[in-house]
């Protein structure tokens, strides 16, 4: 995937975060947009990690338990969002915390990808 494609996707994700944040904060909709967005982002993170897990198992690549903290966070977010979407958990603050962590990570990554240029050696 080209860097420009990644930059466009990340900026689109930031716009989606802003839209969901505004709609949820101003209560313009009764849809559970915040847990749904958190679930989508967590599923994307888990999808990113699937080939890595396959490499650990099939190719015998060495891994450490600390490598699995990000996917563990994504699994916790999936469970939290799933419980909220089924109506068993009503508190909004954990969803806002996850939303803020995701938004900050996206903004940092977007700024980095938008400003970082690397000259190849070959």
């Amino acid at each position: 995937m080209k860097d420009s494609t990644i930059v466009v996707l990340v900026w689109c994700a930031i716009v989606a975060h802003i839209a969901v944040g505004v709609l949820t904060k101003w209560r313009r909709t009764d849809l559970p947009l915040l847990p749904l967005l958190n679930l989508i982002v967590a599923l994307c993170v888990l999808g990113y990690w699937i080939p890595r897990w396959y490499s650990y198992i099939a190719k015998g690549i060495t891994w450490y338990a600390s490598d699995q903290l990000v996917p563990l966070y994504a699994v916790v977010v999936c469970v939290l969002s799933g419980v909220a979407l089924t109506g068993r958990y009503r508190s909004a603050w954990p969803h806002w915390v996850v939303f803020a962590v995701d938004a900050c990570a996206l903004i940092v990554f977007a700024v980095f990808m938008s400003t970082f240029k690397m000259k190849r050696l070959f």
Side-chain angles (χ1 to χ4, degrees):
M1 188 180 297
K2 292 184 178 181
D3 288 350
S4 59
T5 306
I6 294 171
V7 170
V8 168
L9 288 174
V10 170
W11 282 109
C12 288
I14 291 171
V15 169
H17 271 73
I18 292 170
V20 167
V22 168
L23 288 173
T24 303
K25 190 67 175 167
W26 288 348
R27 297 176 196 220
R28 297 284 183 199
T29 181
D30 291 333
L31 298 173
L33 293 178
L34 199 59
L36 189 61
L37 180 68
N38 289 342
L39 178 64
I40 290 169
V41 171
L43 288 174
C44 289
V45 169
L46 290 176
Y48 172 80
W49 276 89
I50 287 173
R52 296 186 187 286
W53 289 329
Y54 175 75
S55 296
Y56 295 151
I57 295 168
K59 298 177 183 174
I61 295 176
T62 304
W63 62 279
Y64 301 96
S66 61
D67 294 342
Q68 303 307 312
L69 292 178
V70 171
L72 177 64
Y73 169 76
V75 168
V76 169
V77 171
C78 284
V79 169
L80 177 66
S81 297
V83 170
L85 289 172
T86 59
R88 295 186 178 138
Y89 185 71
R90 299 275 181 210
S91 181
W93 70 267
H95 299 291
W96 280 108
V97 170
V98 170
F99 177 84
V101 168
D102 292 345
C104 288
L106 282 170
I107 290 169
V108 167
F109 186 68
V111 169
F112 173 76
M113 288 299 291
S114 297
T115 59
F116 179 74
K117 303 293 180 213
M118 184 170 81
K119 302 284 186 189
R120 302 221 183 252
L121 297 176
F122 53 92

